[in-house]
Amino acid sequence: MKKLLLITLILLQALSATKAQETESTAKVFYRFGSTQLRGTYMDNDAQLQQLTRSLTNTDIDWSRYRITITSSSSPEGRENINSKMSEQRAQSLADYLVEKGLVSREHIIINSHRVDWSELRTLLKESPLNSEATPYVEYLDSVISRINAGEDIKDHEVVDGLRKVYNGWKFPYIRRHLFPLLRYAKATLEPIDGTTVPLRPKEEVVLPPVTIPETVLPDTVAPVPTVPSDTVAVTPVVPTVPSDTVAVTPVVPTVPSDTVAVTPVVPAEPTVPAEPAVSPAQPTAPTVPVETVIAPFALKTNLLYDAILIPNIGVEWGFANHWSAAANWMYTWLSNDAKHRYWRIYGGDLELRYWLGSDEARPLKGHHFGAYGGMLTYDIEFGGKGYQAHKWSYHFGLSYGYSMPIARRLNLDFNIGIGYLGGEYYEYEPYYDGYHWLATKQRRWFGPTKAEVSLVWLLFNKKKK
């Protein structure tokens, strides 16, 4: 019975050591939404990186038998091609960190990125506080994973739509807020190349050579010890205390005849090397997801080109998703001089949907952007001669390209041009005595530039609050 108990304890100890070694040789870091920048201050990234650094630095690794495997993932909010690119760049950022720190050379790193790690989401659901309420989600993801393994290409938004339908969407906000952020990760693991576990040995410590204490030879007789005068204070030498973890060496003193005074030789204490304090590796803890209140980027703007030709205008732009924004613009002017037959009357507006290539969390609504727009306007324009008046409303639509550059902390200058179609019915007329003479009714069919902007943009909100 004792033998069986001893064997069990040895196996448990070996299993615990193996598990600890696997934990110390792994680092899992997380990324903010829409970001591929590795930040040590986000979640517990700093502790994870320090743990892996200690493991790789203090371990003697045979790189002919080991490698670093980096897996990564993104959350499923965006499009498939964007999610794949984000996941690859997150894995690459972790690889660059390990190489720049001199922990491993690049040829010993293998990258395996997932567009979205649905298996990880299934595990997170099983471990979540939803308990039994997570079962329908887990079963749904099991079917999704089986279909993907069978070679079926399932779009990310299709899986998200399926998650929304469970419980009529009541529990989905919890998944989106608390579990989706944990899918934006990159994980580095030290593992054997051939799959067989090779024991890792700590690097050899420097062993100091033993200190030899010279043997003290006592003479046969000892000279009388002089008497200390009564007015002299005898000073007792202080013998250094030997630390408790140091073995004190007591020399063997030969027996001295009774008619002689025994003198105890002073034996120099053996120099000791202070032991290095034990450094306990940081125990991995479950990352705490910071609760973030998202304040979407919002801006006011005005088109300086329209302002220059006396068409006051105002616009708003709202960043509602990663790299996406919506803009609405309105213009109005109603100037006239009947005596001189001058009319400058224009009002209308347009809506535009934009996709941003270079925007980020730190500075939204910045960089190159493409868009699609459409709008309506009416007008009455005359400068002393022939005039043009829209019959009710004219319409226009098209595609746009632009570039927005920062010029101050909360100010951007946005250049934008649109190519599209302008259509609608209008009247041609000319002044005639105290009135106007109608000339013709025509249809406007114009294909070309229908939009031009040099807008001053004022960023009102562009941060996230934790």
Side-chain angles (χ1 to χ4, degrees):
M1 183 65 181
K2 292 182 178 179
K3 186 176 181 181
L4 180 60
L5 180 60
L6 180 61
I7 294 174
T8 303
L9 291 175
I10 293 174
L11 290 176
L12 289 175
Q13 184 177 6
L15 180 60
S16 176
T18 302
K19 185 67 176 177
Q21 187 183 78
E22 291 176 354
T23 304
E24 295 173 3
S25 302
T26 299
K28 191 173 187 180
V29 294
F30 298 91
Y31 296 80
R32 293 185 181 275
F33 177 78
S35 175
T36 60
Q37 181 181 359
L38 180 56
R39 301 180 182 180
T41 57
Y42 186 63
M43 295 196 186
D44 66 338
N45 288 354
D46 190 55
Q48 290 284 316
L49 294 173
Q50 289 183 14
Q51 172 181 283
L52 182 61
T53 299
R54 283 194 299 269
S55 177
L56 297 179
T57 303
N58 300 330
T59 308
D60 190 8
I61 303 174
D62 182 3
W63 288 109
S64 65
R65 308 180 70 178
Y66 274 88
R67 68 184 177 190
I68 294 288
T69 299
I70 298 180
T71 56
S72 61
S73 172
S74 65
S75 53
E77 292 94 335
R79 295 185 301 176
E80 283 76 13
N81 59 335
I82 300 297
N83 290 342
S84 297
K85 185 177 180 180
M86 296 286 287
S87 179
E88 294 171 1
Q89 291 179 354
R90 286 166 178 164
Q92 193 61 51
S93 70
L94 182 55
D96 293 341
Y97 173 87
L98 298 177
V99 173
E100 290 172 2
K101 292 293 182 180
L103 302 175
V104 61
S105 58
R106 200 172 294 275
E107 60 265 21
H108 298 305
I109 297 178
I110 301 296
I111 292 179
N112 181 20
S113 60
H114 304 279
R115 188 174 70 200
V116 177
D117 191 351
W118 299 115
S119 298
E120 179 69 10
L121 180 59
R122 177 181 58 184
T123 302
L124 293 172
L125 281 166
K126 289 181 179 180
E127 299 173 353
S128 71
L130 294 177
N131 298 323
S132 60
E133 293 179 338
T135 302
Y137 294 105
V138 173
E139 293 175 349
Y140 171 71
L141 288 176
D142 284 337
S143 65
V144 170
I145 295 170
S146 298
R147 291 164 59 191
I148 293 175
N149 292 337
E152 186 175 348
D153 183 19
I154 305 178
K155 303 298 182 182
D156 296 342
H157 68 87
E158 295 178 4
V159 181
V160 173
D161 290 342
L163 293 172
R164 290 179 188 272
K165 294 178 182 178
V166 179
Y167 296 122
N168 293 322
W170 291 350
K171 303 296 182 181
F172 182 76
Y174 173 86
I175 298 175
R176 181 181 57 194
R177 185 175 184 182
H178 295 279
L179 302 187
F180 278 8
L182 300 180
L183 296 179
R184 307 173 199 132
Y185 76 84
K187 180 180 179 181
T189 305
L190 177 66
E191 61 182 16
I193 295 177
D194 56 2
T196 60
T197 303
V198 183
L200 296 177
R201 297 179 293 104
K203 291 185 177 180
E204 296 181 359
E205 299 180 356
V206 178
V207 180
L208 297 178
V211 178
T212 303
I213 302 176
E215 182 179 358
T216 304
V217 180
L218 296 177
D220 293 337
T221 59
V222 178
V225 178
T227 304
V228 180
S230 59
D231 58 350
T232 305
V233 179
V235 179
T236 305
V238 179
V239 180
T241 305
V242 181
S244 58
D245 57 349
T246 306
V247 179
V249 180
T250 304
V252 180
V253 181
T255 306
V256 182
S258 59
D259 57 348
T260 61
V261 180
V263 177
T264 304
V266 179
V267 180
E270 180 181 1
T272 59
V273 179
E276 295 182 359
V279 179
S280 300
Q283 297 298 325
T285 57
T288 302
V289 180
V291 178
E292 295 182 340
T293 302
V294 179
I295 302 178
F298 184 80
L300 290 177
K301 60 182 181 177
T302 182
N303 187 349
L304 302 179
L305 295 181
Y306 287 0
D307 294 331
I309 57 176
L310 302 181
I311 305 178
N313 65 97
I314 190 172
V316 295
E317 188 162 6
W318 170 54
F320 62 90
N322 185 28
H323 296 281
W324 289 93
S325 70
N329 304 290
W330 179 258
M331 58 182 175
Y332 185 91
T333 185
W334 200 256
L335 304 177
S336 62
N337 188 327
D338 290 333
K340 296 183 179 180
H341 298 287
R342 295 183 181 274
Y343 292 92
W344 184 238
R345 299 175 177 179
I346 302 173
Y347 63 89
D350 65 78
L351 299 175
E352 183 175 6
L353 181 65
R354 290 180 173 181
Y355 179 77
W356 295 81
L357 298 180
S359 186
D360 54 36
E361 291 179 349
R363 186 73 185 217
L365 308 181
K366 178 194 74 173
H368 299 274
H369 57 81
F370 295 90
Y373 63 91
M376 301 182 70
L377 77 158
T378 187
Y379 55 89
D380 186 0
I381 302 172
E382 181 198 357
F383 294 103
K386 184 183 293 186
Y388 305 89
Q389 183 184 66
H391 175 57
K392 296 183 179 179
W393 293 92
S394 296
Y395 59 91
H396 63 101
F397 56 86
L399 300 177
S400 66
Y401 164 76
Y403 180 80
S404 180
M405 64 179 185
I407 58 174
R409 181 172 175 266
R410 288 185 175 273
L411 291 178
N412 287 359
L413 197 60
D414 184 17
F415 301 88
N416 189 30
I417 188 170
I419 304 296
Y421 180 81
L422 171 64
E425 189 175 75
Y426 69 97
Y427 303 133
E428 285 186 358
Y429 65 90
E430 62 181 6
Y432 185 76
Y433 294 103
D434 293 335
Y436 296 93
H437 177 64
W438 169 81
L439 298 178
T441 299
K442 296 184 177 181
Q443 292 289 333
R444 188 177 303 279
R445 298 181 180 88
W446 163 262
F447 181 81
T450 57
K451 186 181 184 71
E453 290 185 28
V454 178
S455 296
L456 185 63
V457 183
W458 179 25
L459 298 171
L460 297 180
F461 305 115
N462 64 338
K463 293 184 178 179
K464 288 185 177 182
K465 290 185 179 179
K466 293 184 179 179

